[in-house]
PDB file of all heavy atoms in Angstrom:
ATOM      1  N   LEU A  21      -4.236   8.167 -34.085  1.00 89.00           N
ATOM      2  CA  LEU A  21      -4.502   7.350 -32.905  1.00 89.00           C
ATOM      3  C   LEU A  21      -3.191   6.864 -32.300  1.00 89.00           C
ATOM      4  O   LEU A  21      -2.329   6.323 -32.992  1.00 89.00           O
ATOM      5  CB  LEU A  21      -5.378   6.156 -33.280  1.00 89.00           C
ATOM      6  CG  LEU A  21      -6.815   6.489 -33.714  1.00 89.00           C
ATOM      7  CD1 LEU A  21      -7.541   5.225 -34.144  1.00 89.00           C
ATOM      8  CD2 LEU A  21      -7.569   7.159 -32.573  1.00 89.00           C
ATOM      9  N   VAL A  22      -3.050   7.069 -30.996  1.00 89.00           N
ATOM     10  CA  VAL A  22      -1.824   6.695 -30.285  1.00 89.00           C
ATOM     11  C   VAL A  22      -2.180   5.672 -29.209  1.00 89.00           C
ATOM     12  O   VAL A  22      -3.073   5.924 -28.385  1.00 89.00           O
ATOM     13  CB  VAL A  22      -1.166   7.924 -29.632  1.00 89.00           C
ATOM     14  CG1 VAL A  22       0.070   7.510 -28.845  1.00 89.00           C
ATOM     15  CG2 VAL A  22      -0.829   8.963 -30.686  1.00 89.00           C
ATOM     16  N   PRO A  23      -1.509   4.510 -29.176  1.00 92.00           N
ATOM     17  CA  PRO A  23      -1.792   3.527 -28.116  1.00 92.00           C
ATOM     18  C   PRO A  23      -1.197   3.978 -26.784  1.00 92.00           C
ATOM     19  O   PRO A  23      -0.044   4.426 -26.737  1.00 92.00           O
ATOM     20  CB  PRO A  23      -1.120   2.253 -28.624  1.00 92.00           C
ATOM     21  CG  PRO A  23      -0.031   2.728 -29.519  1.00 92.00           C
ATOM     22  CD  PRO A  23      -0.522   3.999 -30.146  1.00 92.00           C
ATOM     23  N   GLU A  24      -1.987   3.888 -25.728  1.00 94.00           N
ATOM     24  CA  GLU A  24      -1.517   4.265 -24.402  1.00 94.00           C
ATOM     25  C   GLU A  24      -1.967   3.235 -23.376  1.00 94.00           C
ATOM     26  O   GLU A  24      -3.062   2.668 -23.487  1.00 94.00           O
ATOM     27  CB  GLU A  24      -2.053   5.639 -23.989  1.00 94.00           C
ATOM     28  CG  GLU A  24      -1.505   6.794 -24.799  1.00 94.00           C
ATOM     29  CD  GLU A  24      -2.015   8.134 -24.289  1.00 94.00           C
ATOM     30  OE1 GLU A  24      -2.672   8.159 -23.220  1.00 94.00           O
ATOM     31  OE2 GLU A  24      -1.775   9.157 -24.962  1.00 94.00           O
ATOM     32  N   LEU A  25      -1.106   3.019 -22.374  1.00 96.00           N
ATOM     33  CA  LEU A  25      -1.452   2.137 -21.260  1.00 96.00           C
ATOM     34  C   LEU A  25      -2.027   2.970 -20.127  1.00 96.00           C
ATOM     35  O   LEU A  25      -1.394   3.908 -19.644  1.00 96.00           O
ATOM     36  CB  LEU A  25      -0.215   1.385 -20.762  1.00 96.00           C
ATOM     37  CG  LEU A  25       0.416   0.359 -21.701  1.00 96.00           C
ATOM     38  CD1 LEU A  25       1.591  -0.317 -21.009  1.00 96.00           C
ATOM     39  CD2 LEU A  25      -0.609  -0.675 -22.129  1.00 96.00           C
ATOM     40  N   PHE A  26      -3.236   2.610 -19.704  1.00 97.00           N
ATOM     41  CA  PHE A  26      -3.874   3.234 -18.540  1.00 97.00           C
ATOM     42  C   PHE A  26      -3.658   2.278 -17.362  1.00 97.00           C
ATOM     43  O   PHE A  26      -4.245   1.192 -17.331  1.00 97.00           O
ATOM     44  CB  PHE A  26      -5.366   3.465 -18.784  1.00 97.00           C
ATOM     45  CG  PHE A  26      -5.667   4.554 -19.776  1.00 97.00           C
ATOM     46  CD1 PHE A  26      -5.247   4.467 -21.095  1.00 97.00           C
ATOM     47  CD2 PHE A  26      -6.390   5.671 -19.387  1.00 97.00           C
ATOM     48  CE1 PHE A  26      -5.536   5.466 -22.017  1.00 97.00           C
ATOM     49  CE2 PHE A  26      -6.694   6.680 -20.293  1.00 97.00           C
ATOM     50  CZ  PHE A  26      -6.255   6.584 -21.611  1.00 97.00           C
ATOM     51  N   ILE A  27      -2.834   2.680 -16.410  1.00 97.00           N
ATOM     52  CA  ILE A  27      -2.459   1.809 -15.292  1.00 97.00           C
ATOM     53  C   ILE A  27      -3.058   2.365 -14.007  1.00 97.00           C
ATOM     54  O   ILE A  27      -2.970   3.565 -13.730  1.00 97.00           O
ATOM     55  CB  ILE A  27      -0.930   1.711 -15.159  1.00 97.00           C
ATOM     56  CG1 ILE A  27      -0.335   1.136 -16.452  1.00 97.00           C
ATOM     57  CG2 ILE A  27      -0.539   0.854 -13.961  1.00 97.00           C
ATOM     58  CD1 ILE A  27       1.177   1.124 -16.473  1.00 97.00           C
ATOM     59  N   ALA A  28      -3.676   1.498 -13.216  1.00 97.00           N
ATOM     60  CA  ALA A  28      -4.269   1.896 -11.930  1.00 97.00           C
ATOM     61  C   ALA A  28      -3.807   0.923 -10.844  1.00 97.00           C
ATOM     62  O   ALA A  28      -3.588  -0.256 -11.102  1.00 97.00           O
ATOM     63  CB  ALA A  28      -5.793   1.910 -12.018  1.00 97.00           C
ATOM     64  N   PHE A  29      -3.683   1.422  -9.628  1.00 97.00           N
ATOM     65  CA  PHE A  29      -3.276   0.581  -8.493  1.00 97.00           C
ATOM     66  C   PHE A  29      -3.582   1.308  -7.188  1.00 97.00           C
ATOM     67  O   PHE A  29      -3.806   2.518  -7.172  1.00 97.00           O
ATOM     68  CB  PHE A  29      -1.786   0.233  -8.575  1.00 97.00           C
ATOM     69  CG  PHE A  29      -0.876   1.424  -8.649  1.00 97.00           C
ATOM     70  CD1 PHE A  29      -0.352   2.013  -7.501  1.00 97.00           C
ATOM     71  CD2 PHE A  29      -0.540   1.984  -9.882  1.00 97.00           C
ATOM     72  CE1 PHE A  29       0.492   3.115  -7.577  1.00 97.00           C
ATOM     73  CE2 PHE A  29       0.290   3.090  -9.966  1.00 97.00           C
ATOM     74  CZ  PHE A  29       0.809   3.662  -8.817  1.00 97.00           C
ATOM     75  N   GLN A  30      -3.595   0.544  -6.119  1.00 96.00           N
ATOM     76  CA  GLN A  30      -3.745   1.111  -4.783  1.00 96.00           C
ATOM     77  C   GLN A  30      -2.443   0.939  -4.021  1.00 96.00           C
ATOM     78  O   GLN A  30      -1.707  -0.022  -4.240  1.00 96.00           O
ATOM     79  CB  GLN A  30      -4.885   0.441  -4.019  1.00 96.00           C
ATOM     80  CG  GLN A  30      -6.269   0.808  -4.501  1.00 96.00           C
ATOM     81  CD  GLN A  30      -7.363   0.244  -3.608  1.00 96.00           C
ATOM     82  OE1 GLN A  30      -7.128  -0.077  -2.442  1.00 96.00           O
ATOM     83  NE2 GLN A  30      -8.566   0.121  -4.151  1.00 96.00           N
ATOM     84  N   VAL A  31      -2.183   1.849  -3.113  1.00 95.00           N
ATOM     85  CA  VAL A  31      -1.036   1.736  -2.210  1.00 95.00           C
ATOM     86  C   VAL A  31      -1.588   1.583  -0.798  1.00 95.00           C
ATOM     87  O   VAL A  31      -2.303   2.461  -0.299  1.00 95.00           O
ATOM     88  CB  VAL A  31      -0.127   2.979  -2.304  1.00 95.00           C
ATOM     89  CG1 VAL A  31       1.070   2.830  -1.373  1.00 95.00           C
ATOM     90  CG2 VAL A  31       0.332   3.182  -3.737  1.00 95.00           C
ATOM     91  N   SER A  32      -1.271   0.456  -0.175  1.00 91.00           N
ATOM     92  CA  SER A  32      -1.827   0.109   1.135  1.00 91.00           C
ATOM     93  C   SER A  32      -0.726   0.055   2.186  1.00 91.00           C
ATOM     94  O   SER A  32       0.403  -0.365   1.886  1.00 91.00           O
ATOM     95  CB  SER A  32      -2.530  -1.258   1.050  1.00 91.00           C
ATOM     96  OG  SER A  32      -2.786  -1.780   2.343  1.00 91.00           O
ATOM     97  N   PRO A  33      -1.038   0.437   3.438  1.00 89.00           N
ATOM     98  CA  PRO A  33      -0.033   0.363   4.509  1.00 89.00           C
ATOM     99  C   PRO A  33       0.024  -1.006   5.175  1.00 89.00           C
ATOM    100  O   PRO A  33       0.704  -1.168   6.188  1.00 89.00           O
ATOM    101  CB  PRO A  33      -0.526   1.426   5.502  1.00 89.00           C
ATOM    102  CG  PRO A  33      -2.011   1.389   5.352  1.00 89.00           C
ATOM    103  CD  PRO A  33      -2.276   1.095   3.891  1.00 89.00           C
ATOM    104  N   PHE A  34      -0.680  -1.981   4.607  1.00 85.00           N
ATOM    105  CA  PHE A  34      -0.778  -3.287   5.266  1.00 85.00           C
ATOM    106  C   PHE A  34      -0.110  -4.382   4.445  1.00 85.00           C
ATOM    107  O   PHE A  34      -0.739  -5.354   4.031  1.00 85.00           O
ATOM    108  CB  PHE A  34      -2.243  -3.635   5.528  1.00 85.00           C
ATOM    109  CG  PHE A  34      -2.956  -2.614   6.372  1.00 85.00           C
ATOM    110  CD1 PHE A  34      -4.043  -1.904   5.879  1.00 85.00           C
ATOM    111  CD2 PHE A  34      -2.520  -2.332   7.654  1.00 85.00           C
ATOM    112  CE1 PHE A  34      -4.688  -0.947   6.645  1.00 85.00           C
ATOM    113  CE2 PHE A  34      -3.157  -1.382   8.435  1.00 85.00           C
ATOM    114  CZ  PHE A  34      -4.240  -0.683   7.937  1.00 85.00           C
ATOM    115  N   ALA A  35       1.194  -4.212   4.200  1.00 82.00           N
ATOM    116  CA  ALA A  35       1.973  -5.286   3.597  1.00 82.00           C
ATOM    117  C   ALA A  35       2.042  -6.449   4.589  1.00 82.00           C
ATOM    118  O   ALA A  35       1.751  -6.276   5.779  1.00 82.00           O
ATOM    119  CB  ALA A  35       3.368  -4.775   3.252  1.00 82.00           C
ATOM    120  N   PRO A  36       2.401  -7.660   4.133  1.00 82.00           N
ATOM    121  CA  PRO A  36       2.380  -8.823   5.027  1.00 82.00           C
ATOM    122  C   PRO A  36       3.111  -8.632   6.357  1.00 82.00           C
ATOM    123  O   PRO A  36       2.725  -9.225   7.360  1.00 82.00           O
ATOM    124  CB  PRO A  36       3.049  -9.909   4.172  1.00 82.00           C
ATOM    125  CG  PRO A  36       2.696  -9.531   2.767  1.00 82.00           C
ATOM    126  CD  PRO A  36       2.720  -8.032   2.740  1.00 82.00           C
ATOM    127  N   GLN A  37       4.156  -7.802   6.388  1.00 74.00           N
ATOM    128  CA  GLN A  37       4.937  -7.645   7.617  1.00 74.00           C
ATOM    129  C   GLN A  37       4.486  -6.468   8.468  1.00 74.00           C
ATOM    130  O   GLN A  37       5.149  -6.114   9.440  1.00 74.00           O
ATOM    131  CB  GLN A  37       6.428  -7.478   7.275  1.00 74.00           C
ATOM    132  CG  GLN A  37       6.792  -6.113   6.680  1.00 74.00           C
ATOM    133  CD  GLN A  37       6.566  -6.029   5.186  1.00 74.00           C
ATOM    134  OE1 GLN A  37       5.807  -6.801   4.621  1.00 74.00           O
ATOM    135  NE2 GLN A  37       7.231  -5.083   4.535  1.00 74.00           N
ATOM    136  N   TRP A  38       3.334  -5.864   8.155  1.00 71.00           N
ATOM    137  CA  TRP A  38       2.963  -4.623   8.839  1.00 71.00           C
ATOM    138  C   TRP A  38       2.711  -4.821  10.326  1.00 71.00           C
ATOM    139  O   TRP A  38       3.012  -3.945  11.143  1.00 71.00           O
ATOM    140  CB  TRP A  38       1.739  -3.988   8.176  1.00 71.00           C
ATOM    141  CG  TRP A  38       0.423  -4.593   8.560  1.00 71.00           C
ATOM    142  CD1 TRP A  38      -0.199  -5.642   7.969  1.00 71.00           C
ATOM    143  CD2 TRP A  38      -0.451  -4.181   9.631  1.00 71.00           C
ATOM    144  NE1 TRP A  38      -1.389  -5.921   8.581  1.00 71.00           N
ATOM    145  CE2 TRP A  38      -1.562  -5.037   9.613  1.00 71.00           C
ATOM    146  CE3 TRP A  38      -0.383  -3.183  10.603  1.00 71.00           C
ATOM    147  CZ2 TRP A  38      -2.599  -4.927  10.532  1.00 71.00           C
ATOM    148  CZ3 TRP A  38      -1.428  -3.070  11.519  1.00 71.00           C
ATOM    149  CH2 TRP A  38      -2.512  -3.934  11.471  1.00 71.00           C
ATOM    150  N   LYS A  39       2.168  -5.978  10.727  1.00 70.00           N
ATOM    151  CA  LYS A  39       1.842  -6.181  12.153  1.00 70.00           C
ATOM    152  C   LYS A  39       3.092  -6.212  13.016  1.00 70.00           C
ATOM    153  O   LYS A  39       3.114  -5.657  14.116  1.00 70.00           O
ATOM    154  CB  LYS A  39       1.039  -7.467  12.320  1.00 70.00           C
ATOM    155  CG  LYS A  39      -0.403  -7.349  11.863  1.00 70.00           C
ATOM    156  CD  LYS A  39      -1.222  -8.565  12.244  1.00 70.00           C
ATOM    157  CE  LYS A  39      -2.682  -8.387  11.852  1.00 70.00           C
ATOM    158  NZ  LYS A  39      -3.502  -9.559  12.224  1.00 70.00           N
ATOM    159  N   SER A  40       4.149  -6.865  12.543  1.00 70.00           N
ATOM    160  CA  SER A  40       5.381  -6.930  13.335  1.00 70.00           C
ATOM    161  C   SER A  40       5.996  -5.544  13.470  1.00 70.00           C
ATOM    162  O   SER A  40       6.524  -5.176  14.524  1.00 70.00           O
ATOM    163  CB  SER A  40       6.377  -7.888  12.690  1.00 70.00           C
ATOM    164  OG  SER A  40       6.690  -7.475  11.367  1.00 70.00           O
ATOM    165  N   ALA A  41       5.920  -4.743  12.412  1.00 63.00           N
ATOM    166  CA  ALA A  41       6.435  -3.378  12.485  1.00 63.00           C
ATOM    167  C   ALA A  41       5.578  -2.525  13.411  1.00 63.00           C
ATOM    168  O   ALA A  41       6.076  -1.645  14.121  1.00 63.00           O
ATOM    169  CB  ALA A  41       6.483  -2.763  11.093  1.00 63.00           C
ATOM    170  N   CYS A  42       4.278  -2.803  13.412  1.00 66.00           N
ATOM    171  CA  CYS A  42       3.351  -2.018  14.233  1.00 66.00           C
ATOM    172  C   CYS A  42       3.517  -2.346  15.718  1.00 66.00           C
ATOM    173  O   CYS A  42       3.276  -1.504  16.574  1.00 66.00           O
ATOM    174  CB  CYS A  42       1.919  -2.291  13.791  1.00 66.00           C
ATOM    175  SG  CYS A  42       0.758  -0.988  14.223  1.00 66.00           S
ATOM    176  N   ASN A  43       3.928  -3.570  16.029  1.00 63.00           N
ATOM    177  CA  ASN A  43       4.092  -3.964  17.432  1.00 63.00           C
ATOM    178  C   ASN A  43       5.160  -3.150  18.139  1.00 63.00           C
ATOM    179  O   ASN A  43       5.143  -3.009  19.364  1.00 63.00           O
ATOM    180  CB  ASN A  43       4.434  -5.457  17.516  1.00 63.00           C
ATOM    181  CG  ASN A  43       3.242  -6.335  17.162  1.00 63.00           C
ATOM    182  OD1 ASN A  43       2.100  -5.903  17.264  1.00 63.00           O
ATOM    183  ND2 ASN A  43       3.511  -7.557  16.756  1.00 63.00           N
ATOM    184  N   ASP A  44       6.111  -2.628  17.375  1.00 60.00           N
ATOM    185  CA  ASP A  44       7.188  -1.835  17.971  1.00 60.00           C
ATOM    186  C   ASP A  44       6.807  -0.367  18.133  1.00 60.00           C
ATOM    187  O   ASP A  44       7.570   0.411  18.713  1.00 60.00           O
ATOM    188  CB  ASP A  44       8.450  -1.927  17.098  1.00 60.00           C
ATOM    189  CG  ASP A  44       8.960  -3.366  17.004  1.00 60.00           C
ATOM    190  OD1 ASP A  44       8.756  -4.121  17.965  1.00 60.00           O
ATOM    191  OD2 ASP A  44       9.548  -3.715  15.961  1.00 60.00           O
ATOM    192  N   ALA A  45       5.650   0.019  17.618  1.00 54.00           N
ATOM    193  CA  ALA A  45       5.226   1.418  17.669  1.00 54.00           C
ATOM    194  C   ALA A  45       4.330   1.665  18.872  1.00 54.00           C
ATOM    195  O   ALA A  45       3.552   0.799  19.284  1.00 54.00           O
ATOM    196  CB  ALA A  45       4.495   1.801  16.387  1.00 54.00           C
ATOM    197  N   ILE A  46       4.423   2.864  19.438  1.00 58.00           N
ATOM    198  CA  ILE A  46       3.576   3.222  20.575  1.00 58.00           C
ATOM    199  C   ILE A  46       2.136   3.388  20.109  1.00 58.00           C
ATOM    200  O   ILE A  46       1.199   2.935  20.768  1.00 58.00           O
ATOM    201  CB  ILE A  46       4.090   4.521  21.229  1.00 58.00           C
ATOM    202  CG1 ILE A  46       5.510   4.304  21.785  1.00 58.00           C
ATOM    203  CG2 ILE A  46       3.141   4.990  22.335  1.00 58.00           C
ATOM    204  CD1 ILE A  46       6.137   5.559  22.361  1.00 58.00           C
ATOM    205  N   ASP A  47       1.936   4.025  18.995  1.00 66.00           N
ATOM    206  CA  ASP A  47       0.601   4.250  18.445  1.00 66.00           C
ATOM    207  C   ASP A  47       0.549   3.639  17.052  1.00 66.00           C
ATOM    208  O   ASP A  47       1.108   4.184  16.108  1.00 66.00           O
ATOM    209  CB  ASP A  47       0.296   5.753  18.385  1.00 66.00           C
ATOM    210  CG  ASP A  47      -1.168   6.028  18.081  1.00 66.00           C
ATOM    211  OD1 ASP A  47      -1.723   5.345  17.196  1.00 66.00           O
ATOM    212  OD2 ASP A  47      -1.762   6.918  18.722  1.00 66.00           O
ATOM    213  N   CYS A  48      -0.134   2.506  16.933  1.00 74.00           N
ATOM    214  CA  CYS A  48      -0.153   1.765  15.675  1.00 74.00           C
ATOM    215  C   CYS A  48      -0.829   2.574  14.566  1.00 74.00           C
ATOM    216  O   CYS A  48      -0.361   2.573  13.421  1.00 74.00           O
ATOM    217  CB  CYS A  48      -0.875   0.438  15.878  1.00 74.00           C
ATOM    218  SG  CYS A  48      -0.805  -0.656  14.445  1.00 74.00           S
ATOM    219  N   GLU A  49      -1.923   3.243  14.875  1.00 74.00           N
ATOM    220  CA  GLU A  49      -2.634   4.023  13.851  1.00 74.00           C
ATOM    221  C   GLU A  49      -1.749   5.131  13.298  1.00 74.00           C
ATOM    222  O   GLU A  49      -1.655   5.302  12.075  1.00 74.00           O
ATOM    223  CB  GLU A  49      -3.897   4.649  14.452  1.00 74.00           C
ATOM    224  CG  GLU A  49      -4.933   3.652  14.922  1.00 74.00           C
ATOM    225  CD  GLU A  49      -5.992   4.346  15.741  1.00 74.00           C
ATOM    226  OE1 GLU A  49      -6.535   5.361  15.272  1.00 74.00           O
ATOM    227  OE2 GLU A  49      -6.279   3.892  16.853  1.00 74.00           O
TER     228      GLU A  49
END
């Protein structure tokens, strides 16, 4: 028996500063 860490996470494009970065873009999507 071998101990292993099962790690899960999501990667999202909406970090706290995303709106300010999106305001400078022509197409936010």
Side-chain angles (χ1 to χ4, degrees):
L21 293 176
V22 177
E24 292 183 8
L25 293 182
F26 289 62
I27 300 174
F29 56 91
Q30 288 187 22
V31 181
S32 165
F34 302 118
Q37 73 276 21
W38 80 272
K39 285 189 176 180
S40 59
C42 203
N43 289 337
D44 298 330
I46 297 176
D47 191 317
C48 187
E49 296 168 51

